[in-house]
């Protein structure tokens, strides 16, 4: 078997910008932060190790292990936080008074509209600054839409679970 005939694997050197793959970390509202963050590995030790490595070595190629470990931890953390955030919104929708839940849904819809407008405005910004703004705004927009959907599902679930009051009006059958 000829060694030269085997496909070669290129070595990829990760840099700090590679940590911007996928959506950014979700923003957690302060009123539910303690509940959402409880028991989640925030990867702060791995981040400290990464920064220490960068401080000592001064360049990213010497910190590949730290970058990979932090990236994997951050992806797990963000996935868990997003799920907990959506579960929390679902619980809010099904447990808080209906008028407050609808008010919260209206607030989230307003936030979605604002973020959509900001994404459109950010599309005119060129270069790395534009990319970072669009990346961040797109992640926030996606998370807010998902939270709104979870809240609405909680509200709908409540409507199905609550007993239907019998009315004294006539019922029409076709």
């Amino acid at each position: 078997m000829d060694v030269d005939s085997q496909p070669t694997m290129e070595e990829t050197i990760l840099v700090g910008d590679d940590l911007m793959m996928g959506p950014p970390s979700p923003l957690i509202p302060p009123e539910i932060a303690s509940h959402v963050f409880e028991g989640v590995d925030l990867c702060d030790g791995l981040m400290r190790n990464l920064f220490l490595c960068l401080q000592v070595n001064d360049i990213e190629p010497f910190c590949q292990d730290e970058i990979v470990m932090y990236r994997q931890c951050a992806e797990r953390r963000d996935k868990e936080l997003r799920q907990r955030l959506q579960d929390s919104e679902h619980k809010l929708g099904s447990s808080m008074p209906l008028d407050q839940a609808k008010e919260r849904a209206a607030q989230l819809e307003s936030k979605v509209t604002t973020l959509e407008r900001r994404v459109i405005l950010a599309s005119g910004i060129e270069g790395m600054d534009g990319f970072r703004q669009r990346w961040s705004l797109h992640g926030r927009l996606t998370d807010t839409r998902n939270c709104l959907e979870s809240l609405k599902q909680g509200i709908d679930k409540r409507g199905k679970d609550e007993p239907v009051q019998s009315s004294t009006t006539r019922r029409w059958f076709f």
Side-chain angles (χ1 to χ4, degrees):
M1 176 171 230
D2 187 18
V3 174
D4 294 330
S5 68
Q6 294 180 358
T8 60
M9 186 171 86
E10 292 184 26
E11 185 174 329
T12 303
I13 296 179
L14 299 173
V15 295
D17 288 343
D18 289 316
L19 296 175
M20 294 176 67
M21 303 293 281
S25 296
L27 294 177
I28 309 296
E31 59 269 12
I32 60 172
S34 62
H35 166 70
V36 173
F37 284 127
E38 186 178 322
V40 176
D41 179 12
L42 301 178
C43 309
D44 51 346
L46 292 172
M47 183 184 288
R48 234 180 270 117
N49 289 346
L50 174 59
F51 285 141
L52 180 63
C53 179
L54 290 171
Q55 187 177 13
V56 169
N57 295 307
D58 206 28
I59 56 174
E60 292 148 331
F62 296 115
C63 301
Q64 295 299 293
D65 291 340
E66 288 81 0
I67 291 173
V68 168
M69 289 173 53
Y70 177 75
R71 185 170 155 186
Q72 290 171 346
C73 182
E75 286 172 357
R76 277 192 310 273
R77 174 199 64 205
D78 292 350
K79 182 179 179 183
E80 185 175 353
L81 288 176
R82 279 188 177 81
Q83 186 59 49
R84 285 179 173 216
L85 187 58
Q86 289 177 15
D87 291 346
S88 180
E89 289 292 344
H90 185 81
K91 287 177 187 174
L92 282 175
S94 61
S95 65
M96 68 186 335
L98 187 59
D99 53 334
Q100 289 180 352
K102 288 184 177 181
E103 182 180 320
R104 179 150 178 85
Q107 289 173 350
L108 287 174
E109 286 173 352
S110 173
K111 190 174 180 181
V112 164
T113 303
T114 302
L115 288 169
E116 286 172 341
R117 290 177 181 162
R118 290 182 63 196
V119 166
I120 292 169
L121 291 174
S123 66
I125 302 172
E126 295 180 3
M128 196 58 169
D129 286 337
F131 167 77
R132 286 187 176 127
Q133 281 190 23
R134 290 187 300 276
W135 175 72
S136 176
L137 288 169
H138 179 72
R140 289 175 52 197
L141 177 61
T142 303
D143 288 343
T144 305
R145 281 181 179 155
N146 290 339
C147 286
L148 177 61
E149 186 63 32
S150 293
L151 182 68
K152 285 182 176 180
Q153 287 174 358
I155 292 171
D156 292 345
K157 180 183 174 220
R158 173 214 319 258
K160 293 175 186 173
D161 291 345
E162 288 180 353
V164 177
Q165 298 175 353
S166 61
S167 64
T168 58
T169 60
R170 290 186 181 185
R171 295 184 183 186
W172 298 92
F173 297 98
F174 294 105

